[in-house]
Coordinates of all heavy atoms in Angstrom, one line a residue:
F1 N -19.6 -38.5 -4.8 CA -21.0 -39.0 -4.7 C -21.8 -38.7 -6.0 O -22.7 -39.4 -6.3 CB -21.7 -38.3 -3.5 CG -21.3 -38.8 -2.2 CD1 -21.3 -38.0 -1.1 CD2 -21.1 -40.2 -2.0 CE1 -20.9 -38.5 0.2 CE2 -20.8 -40.7 -0.8 CZ -20.7 -39.9 0.3
H2 N -21.4 -37.7 -6.7 CA -22.1 -37.3 -7.9 C -21.4 -38.0 -9.2 O -21.7 -37.6 -10.3 CB -22.1 -35.8 -8.1 CG -23.2 -35.2 -7.3 ND1 -24.5 -35.0 -7.7 CD2 -23.2 -34.8 -6.0 CE1 -25.2 -34.4 -6.8 NE2 -24.5 -34.3 -5.7
G3 N -20.5 -38.9 -8.9 CA -20.0 -39.7 -10.0 C -18.8 -39.1 -10.8 O -18.4 -39.6 -11.9
M4 N -18.2 -38.0 -10.3 CA -17.0 -37.5 -10.9 C -15.8 -38.3 -10.8 O -15.6 -39.0 -9.8 CB -16.7 -36.1 -10.4 CG -17.7 -35.0 -10.9 SD -17.2 -33.4 -10.2 CE -15.6 -33.1 -11.1
R5 N -14.9 -38.3 -11.8 CA -13.7 -39.1 -11.8 C -12.6 -38.3 -11.0 O -12.5 -37.1 -11.1 CB -13.2 -39.4 -13.2 CG -14.2 -40.3 -14.0 CD -13.6 -40.7 -15.3 NE -13.2 -39.6 -16.1 CZ -14.0 -39.0 -17.0 NH1 -15.3 -39.4 -17.1 NH2 -13.6 -37.9 -17.7
D6 N -11.7 -39.1 -10.4 CA -10.6 -38.5 -9.6 C -9.7 -37.5 -10.4 O -9.3 -36.5 -9.9 CB -9.7 -39.6 -9.0 CG -10.4 -40.3 -7.8 OD1 -11.4 -39.7 -7.3 OD2 -9.9 -41.3 -7.4
A7 N -9.5 -37.8 -11.6 CA -8.6 -37.0 -12.5 C -9.2 -35.5 -12.6 O -8.4 -34.6 -12.7 CB -8.4 -37.6 -13.8
T8 N -10.5 -35.4 -12.6 CA -11.1 -34.1 -12.7 C -11.3 -33.4 -11.4 O -11.3 -32.2 -11.3 CB -12.5 -34.3 -13.4 OG1 -12.4 -35.1 -14.6 CG2 -13.2 -33.0 -13.7
I9 N -11.5 -34.2 -10.3 CA -12.0 -33.7 -9.1 C -10.9 -32.7 -8.5 O -11.2 -31.6 -8.0 CB -12.3 -34.8 -8.1 CG1 -13.5 -35.5 -8.5 CG2 -12.5 -34.3 -6.7 CD1 -13.8 -36.8 -7.6
Q10 N -9.6 -33.2 -8.5 CA -8.6 -32.4 -7.8 C -8.5 -31.0 -8.4 O -8.4 -30.0 -7.6 CB -7.2 -33.1 -7.9 CG -7.2 -34.5 -7.2 CD -7.3 -34.3 -5.7 OE1 -7.1 -33.3 -5.1 NE2 -7.6 -35.4 -5.0
D11 N -8.4 -30.9 -9.7 CA -8.3 -29.6 -10.3 C -9.5 -28.7 -10.1 O -9.4 -27.5 -9.8 CB -8.1 -29.8 -11.9 CG -6.7 -30.3 -12.2 OD1 -5.8 -30.3 -11.4 OD2 -6.6 -30.8 -13.4
R12 N -10.7 -29.3 -10.1 CA -11.9 -28.5 -9.9 C -11.9 -28.1 -8.4 O -12.3 -26.9 -8.1 CB -13.1 -29.3 -10.2 CG -14.4 -28.4 -10.1 CD -15.6 -29.1 -10.6 NE -15.6 -29.1 -12.1 CZ -16.7 -29.3 -12.8 NH1 -17.9 -29.4 -12.3 NH2 -16.6 -29.3 -14.1
A13 N -11.5 -28.9 -7.5 CA -11.5 -28.5 -6.1 C -10.6 -27.3 -5.8 O -10.9 -26.4 -5.1 CB -11.1 -29.7 -5.2
D14 N -9.4 -27.4 -6.5 CA -8.5 -26.2 -6.4 C -9.1 -24.9 -6.9 O -9.0 -23.9 -6.3 CB -7.2 -26.5 -7.1 CG -6.3 -27.6 -6.4 OD1 -6.5 -27.8 -5.2 OD2 -5.5 -28.2 -7.1
S15 N -9.7 -25.0 -8.0 CA -10.3 -23.9 -8.7 C -11.5 -23.3 -7.8 O -11.6 -22.1 -7.6 CB -10.9 -24.2 -10.1 OG -11.6 -23.2 -10.6
V16 N -12.3 -24.2 -7.3 CA -13.5 -23.8 -6.5 C -13.0 -23.2 -5.2 O -13.5 -22.1 -4.7 CB -14.4 -25.0 -6.3 CG1 -15.5 -24.6 -5.2 CG2 -15.1 -25.3 -7.6
M17 N -12.0 -23.8 -4.5 CA -11.5 -23.2 -3.3 C -10.9 -21.8 -3.5 O -11.1 -20.9 -2.7 CB -10.5 -24.1 -2.7 CG -11.1 -25.4 -2.0 SD -9.9 -26.3 -1.0 CE -8.8 -26.9 -2.3
E18 N -10.3 -21.6 -4.6 CA -9.7 -20.3 -4.9 C -10.9 -19.3 -5.1 O -10.8 -18.1 -4.6 CB -8.9 -20.3 -6.2 CG -8.2 -19.0 -6.5 CD -7.2 -19.1 -7.6 OE1 -7.0 -20.2 -8.1 OE2 -6.7 -18.0 -8.1
Q19 N -11.9 -19.7 -5.8 CA -13.1 -18.8 -6.1 C -13.8 -18.4 -4.8 O -14.2 -17.2 -4.7 CB -14.1 -19.5 -7.0 CG -13.7 -19.6 -8.4 CD -14.7 -20.4 -9.2 OE1 -15.2 -21.4 -8.8 NE2 -14.9 -20.0 -10.5
F20 N -13.8 -19.3 -3.8 CA -14.5 -19.0 -2.6 C -13.6 -18.6 -1.4 O -14.0 -18.5 -0.3 CB -15.3 -20.3 -2.2 CG -16.6 -20.4 -2.9 CD1 -16.6 -20.9 -4.2 CD2 -17.8 -20.0 -2.3 CE1 -17.8 -21.0 -4.9 CE2 -19.0 -20.1 -3.0 CZ -19.0 -20.6 -4.3
G21 N -12.3 -18.3 -1.7 CA -11.4 -17.9 -0.6 C -11.2 -18.9 0.4 O -11.0 -18.6 1.6
L22 N -11.1 -20.2 0.0 CA -11.0 -21.3 0.9 C -9.6 -22.0 0.8 O -9.4 -23.0 1.5 CB -12.1 -22.3 0.6 CG -13.5 -21.9 1.0 CD1 -14.5 -22.9 0.4 CD2 -13.7 -21.9 2.5
T23 N -8.7 -21.5 -0.1 CA -7.5 -22.2 -0.3 C -6.7 -22.3 1.0 O -6.1 -23.4 1.3 CB -6.7 -21.5 -1.4 OG1 -7.4 -21.4 -2.6 CG2 -5.4 -22.2 -1.6
A24 N -6.6 -21.3 1.8 CA -5.8 -21.3 3.0 C -6.5 -22.2 4.1 O -5.8 -22.6 5.0 CB -5.7 -19.9 3.6
E25 N -7.8 -22.5 3.9 CA -8.5 -23.3 4.9 C -8.6 -24.8 4.4 O -9.2 -25.6 5.0 CB -9.9 -22.8 5.1 CG -10.0 -21.3 5.1 CD -9.3 -20.7 6.3 OE1 -9.3 -21.4 7.4 OE2 -8.8 -19.6 6.2
A26 N -7.9 -25.1 3.3 CA -8.1 -26.4 2.6 C -8.0 -27.6 3.5 O -8.7 -28.6 3.5 CB -7.2 -26.6 1.4
A27 N -7.0 -27.6 4.4 CA -6.7 -28.7 5.3 C -7.4 -28.7 6.6 O -7.4 -29.7 7.4 CB -5.2 -28.8 5.6
K28 N -8.2 -27.6 6.9 CA -8.9 -27.6 8.2 C -10.2 -28.4 8.1 O -10.9 -28.4 7.1 CB -9.2 -26.1 8.5 CG -8.1 -25.2 8.8 CD -8.6 -23.8 9.2 CE -7.4 -22.9 9.6 NZ -7.8 -21.5 9.9
K29 N -10.5 -29.0 9.2 CA -11.8 -29.7 9.3 C -12.9 -28.6 9.4 O -12.7 -27.6 10.0 CB -11.8 -30.6 10.6 CG -10.9 -31.8 10.5 CD -11.1 -32.6 11.8 CE -10.2 -33.9 11.7 NZ -10.3 -34.7 12.9
A30 N -14.1 -29.0 8.8 CA -15.2 -28.1 8.8 C -15.6 -27.7 10.2 O -16.1 -26.6 10.4 CB -16.4 -28.7 8.1
Q31 N -15.5 -28.6 11.2 CA -15.9 -28.3 12.5 C -15.0 -27.1 13.2 O -15.5 -26.5 14.1 CB -15.8 -29.5 13.4 CG -14.4 -30.0 13.7 CD -14.3 -31.2 14.6 OE1 -15.4 -31.6 15.1 NE2 -13.2 -31.7 14.9
D32 N -13.9 -26.9 12.6 CA -13.0 -25.8 13.1 C -13.2 -24.5 12.4 O -12.5 -23.5 12.7 CB -11.5 -26.3 13.0 CG -11.2 -27.5 13.8 OD1 -11.8 -27.7 14.9 OD2 -10.4 -28.4 13.4
L33 N -14.1 -24.4 11.5 CA -14.3 -23.2 10.7 C -15.4 -22.4 11.4 O -16.3 -22.9 12.1 CB -14.8 -23.5 9.3 CG -13.8 -24.3 8.4 CD1 -14.5 -24.7 7.1 CD2 -12.5 -23.6 8.2
S34 N -15.4 -21.1 11.1 CA -16.5 -20.2 11.6 C -17.8 -20.6 10.8 O -17.7 -21.3 9.7 CB -16.2 -18.8 11.4 OG -16.1 -18.5 10.0
G35 N -18.9 -20.1 11.2 CA -20.2 -20.4 10.5 C -20.2 -19.9 9.1 O -20.7 -20.5 8.2
G36 N -19.6 -18.7 8.9 CA -19.5 -18.1 7.6 C -18.7 -18.9 6.6 O -19.0 -19.1 5.5
F37 N -17.5 -19.5 7.1 CA -16.7 -20.3 6.3 C -17.3 -21.7 6.0 O -17.2 -22.2 4.9 CB -15.3 -20.5 6.9 CG -14.3 -19.4 6.5 CD1 -14.1 -18.3 7.3 CD2 -13.6 -19.5 5.3 CE1 -13.2 -17.3 6.9 CE2 -12.7 -18.5 4.9 CZ -12.5 -17.4 5.7
R38 N -18.1 -22.2 7.0 CA -18.8 -23.4 6.7 C -19.8 -23.2 5.6 O -20.0 -24.1 4.7 CB -19.5 -23.9 7.9 CG -18.6 -24.5 9.0 CD -19.5 -25.1 10.1 NE -18.7 -25.4 11.3 CZ -19.3 -25.7 12.4 NH1 -20.6 -26.0 12.5 NH2 -18.5 -25.9 13.5
R39 N -20.4 -22.0 5.6 CA -21.4 -21.7 4.5 C -20.7 -21.7 3.2 O -21.3 -22.1 2.2 CB -22.1 -20.4 4.9 CG -23.3 -20.1 4.0 CD -24.4 -21.2 4.3 NE -25.6 -20.9 3.6 CZ -26.6 -21.7 3.5 NH1 -26.5 -22.9 4.0 NH2 -27.7 -21.4 2.8
R40 N -19.5 -21.1 3.1 CA -18.8 -21.1 1.9 C -18.6 -22.5 1.4 O -18.7 -22.7 0.2 CB -17.4 -20.4 2.1 CG -17.5 -18.9 2.4 CD -16.1 -18.3 2.4 NE -16.1 -17.0 2.9 CZ -15.1 -16.1 2.7 NH1 -14.0 -16.5 2.0 NH2 -15.1 -14.9 3.3
V41 N -18.2 -23.4 2.2 CA -18.0 -24.8 1.8 C -19.2 -25.4 1.2 O -19.2 -26.0 0.2 CB -17.5 -25.6 3.0 CG1 -17.4 -27.1 2.6 CG2 -16.1 -25.1 3.5
Q42 N -20.4 -25.1 1.9 CA -21.7 -25.6 1.4 C -21.9 -25.1 0.0 O -22.3 -25.9 -0.9 CB -22.8 -25.2 2.3 CG -22.8 -25.9 3.7 CD -23.9 -25.4 4.5 OE1 -23.7 -24.4 5.2 NE2 -25.0 -26.0 4.5
V43 N -21.9 -23.8 -0.2 CA -22.2 -23.2 -1.5 C -21.2 -23.6 -2.5 O -21.5 -23.8 -3.7 CB -22.3 -21.7 -1.4 CG1 -22.7 -21.1 -2.7 CG2 -23.4 -21.3 -0.4

């Protein structure tokens, strides 16, 4: 939505998920996460 190219997005998503402790949750739908983990996704 913010105009980033696909080649950049995947690597950055991996890096950000690792920073926020979300790597193990990567394939889960947000509706299945706790409120705290949803907040991590937002931030």
